[in-house]
């Protein structure tokens, strides 16, 4: 049996900057990215799409975000391509007496939300997915058994043995929102590589999410078994150097071949601008413009950028004279950024030379 699928994660629909002039444009970035992945799935006629958590940026989303999500996923539904998802830490809704937006999407058929049941003994039970209720922990497609487990926190490694004990089938895939230490760039929601290793014995492919950085985990024998595609759009500053994309996976006779396909995220530039020496704010602003222009000249991206700027140096005027509004006006003239974060670390030097 052969099949193909797309594995993506950490979409973060609904993310934006509420105080930015580019709020609406940034809001659409994440839908544009998901729409491109959906278009790829339809073009390649994949058998299913996997979303390994954090479809949304927050559990409490705006109604328009829910409506735009349905609009973006509609082509998959029209082509009868299942979209199988688990919940990430951002998808959580803490009032469990309320239905979550992920559950709502599953109940109306836009995703198949996988969530196992817990037994009194602490073990897991992966019930078959029920399209009527939109709930279950396991779905079978063309002989492939897909199991799903969302974010379970910092103790995920302690649950691996219970997860493996619950699996009695062959030809298995696990969808799991968790990071692996030494690979994942975030500090929470990870497990140690040796804790994850038993998953390689039970699952042929472990589809990870969390951390926003792509990586592949292999067994001691060198077999790649766990894959994290990272976030396809840049979500936070610090991700500017990460590759952005998703996995297109082909399986033939039990052999998995994965291809990382790059997306087109919005450019994110983190700059340190050294303003050491100017006697007044006007001179410092000229230096600021010059350094920014030089950095922007190296970028070939046509999308308006996201900027994080750190001002450093010793100046002979009060740093507050170089106000954020003046800096933002200068940036608008140079590149019209969608969003700017400015960190002013300038120090005032008195005539005696003291800082």
């Amino acid at each position: 049996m052969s099949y193909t699928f797309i594995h993506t994660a950490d979409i973060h629909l609904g993310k934006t900057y509420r105080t930015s002039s580019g709020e609406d444009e940034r809001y659409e970035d994440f839908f544009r990215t998901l729409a491109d992945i959906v278009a790829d799935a339809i073009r390649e006629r994949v058998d299913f799409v996997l979303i390994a958590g954090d479809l949304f940026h927050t559990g409490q989303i705006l109604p328009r975000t829910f409506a735009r999500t349905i609009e973006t996923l509609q082509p998959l539904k029209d082509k009868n391509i299942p979209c199988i998802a688990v919940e990430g830490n951002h998808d959580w809704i803490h009032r469990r007496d309320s239905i979550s937006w992920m559950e709502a999407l599953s109940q109306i058929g836009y995703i198949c939300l996988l969530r196992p049941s817990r037994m009194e003994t602490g073990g897991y039970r992966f019930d078959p997915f029920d399209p009527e209720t939109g709930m279950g922990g396991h779905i079978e497609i063309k002989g492939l058994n897909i199991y799903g487990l969302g974010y379970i926190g910092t103790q995920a490694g302690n649950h691996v043995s219970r997860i493996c004990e619950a699996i009695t089938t062959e030809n298995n895939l696990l969808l799991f929102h968790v990071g692996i230490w030494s690979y994942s760039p975030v500090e929470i929601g990870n497990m140690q590589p040796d804790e994850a290793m038993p998953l390689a014995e039970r699952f042929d492919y472990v589809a990870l999410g969390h951390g926003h950085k792509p990586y592949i985990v292999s067994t001691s024998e060198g077999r790649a078994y766990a894959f994290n595609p990272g976030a396809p759009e840049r979500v936070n500053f610090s991700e500017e150097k990460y590759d952005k994309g998703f996995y297109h996976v082909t399986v033939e006779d039990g052999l998995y071949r994965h291809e990382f396909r790059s997306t087109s995220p919005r450019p994110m530039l983190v700059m340190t601008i050294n303003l050491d020496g100017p006697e007044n704010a006007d001179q410092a602003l000229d230096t600021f413009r010059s350094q920014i222009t030089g950095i922007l000249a190296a970028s070939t991206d046509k999308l308006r950028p996201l900027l994080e700027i750190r001002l450093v140096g010793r100046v002979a005027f009060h740093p507050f004279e170089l106000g954020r509004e003046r800096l933002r006006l200068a940036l608008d003239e140079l590149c019209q950024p969608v969003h700017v974060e400015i960190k002013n670390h300038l120090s005032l030097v008195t005539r005696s030379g003291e800082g």
Side-chain angles (χ1 to χ4, degrees), residues 19-82:
T19 60
S20 172
S21 61
E23 173 185 351
D24 291 341
E25 190 172 349
R26 184 56 175 155
Y27 177 84
E28 287 297 325
D29 282 345
F30 299 90
F31 289 100
R32 172 178 55 83
T33 298
L34 179 59
D36 289 344
I37 295 172
V38 167
D40 190 279
I42 293 171
R43 184 171 54 252
E44 296 286 353
R45 299 180 180 179
V46 302
D47 293 293
F48 55 89
V49 173
L50 300 177
I51 300 178
D54 285 352
L55 173 62
F56 296 118
H57 186 61
T58 177
Q60 303 288 356
I61 63 173
L62 297 172
R64 69 164 177 154
T65 298
F66 189 68
R68 288 286 286 113
T69 302
I70 288 175
E71 178 185 349
T72 308
L73 294 175
Q74 186 68 50
L76 291 180
K77 190 175 184 182
D78 292 343
K79 294 293 184 180
N80 294 315
I81 298 175

Side-chain angles (χ1 to χ4, degrees), residues 40-219:
D40 190 279
I42 293 171
R43 184 171 54 252
E44 296 286 353
R45 299 180 180 179
V46 302
D47 293 293
F48 55 89
V49 173
L50 300 177
I51 300 178
D54 285 352
L55 173 62
F56 296 118
H57 186 61
T58 177
Q60 303 288 356
I61 63 173
L62 297 172
R64 69 164 177 154
T65 298
F66 189 68
R68 288 286 286 113
T69 302
I70 288 175
E71 178 185 349
T72 308
L73 294 175
Q74 186 68 50
L76 291 180
K77 190 175 184 182
D78 292 343
K79 294 293 184 180
N80 294 315
I81 298 175
C83 182
I84 304 163
V86 295
E87 294 157 306
N89 51 304
H90 282 260
D91 297 313
W92 273 11
I93 183 168
H94 298 287
R95 298 195 309 272
R96 292 312 307 167
D97 57 334
S98 301
I99 185 172
S100 74
W101 293 103
M102 293 288 284
E103 290 169 325
L105 279 177
S106 191
Q107 289 179 6
I108 60 179
Y110 283 91
I111 65 172
C112 300
L113 178 62
L114 298 185
R115 183 197 292 161
S117 300
R118 294 299 299 273
M119 298 184 292
E120 292 182 0
T121 58
Y124 287 89
R125 188 179 73 247
F126 291 88
D127 298 321
F129 181 79
D130 182 355
E132 294 297 321
T133 63
M135 296 301 294
H138 163 234
I139 190 169
E140 181 182 340
I141 298 178
K142 296 177 69 172
L144 175 66
N145 294 290
I146 303 171
Y147 296 87
L149 191 69
Y151 182 77
I152 56 176
T154 57
Q155 300 300 314
N158 296 333
H159 293 248
V160 169
S161 61
R162 302 172 196 172
I163 296 167
C164 293
E165 288 169 3
I167 308 304
T168 59
T169 56
E170 300 295 330
N171 198 24
N172 303 319
L173 181 152
L174 178 63
L175 191 57
F176 197 2
H177 191 81
V178 68
I180 308 295
W181 278 113
S182 75
Y183 299 91
S184 178
V186 297
E187 296 295 324
I188 60 172
N190 301 322
M191 57 182 170
Q192 296 292 341
D194 60 333
E195 293 176 324
M197 198 62 67
L199 296 174
E201 300 174 7
R202 192 67 70 185
F203 300 96
D204 301 310
Y205 187 103
V206 179
L208 300 173
H210 197 52
H212 302 181
K213 181 180 181 179
Y215 57 84
I216 298 172
V217 186
S218 299
T219 65

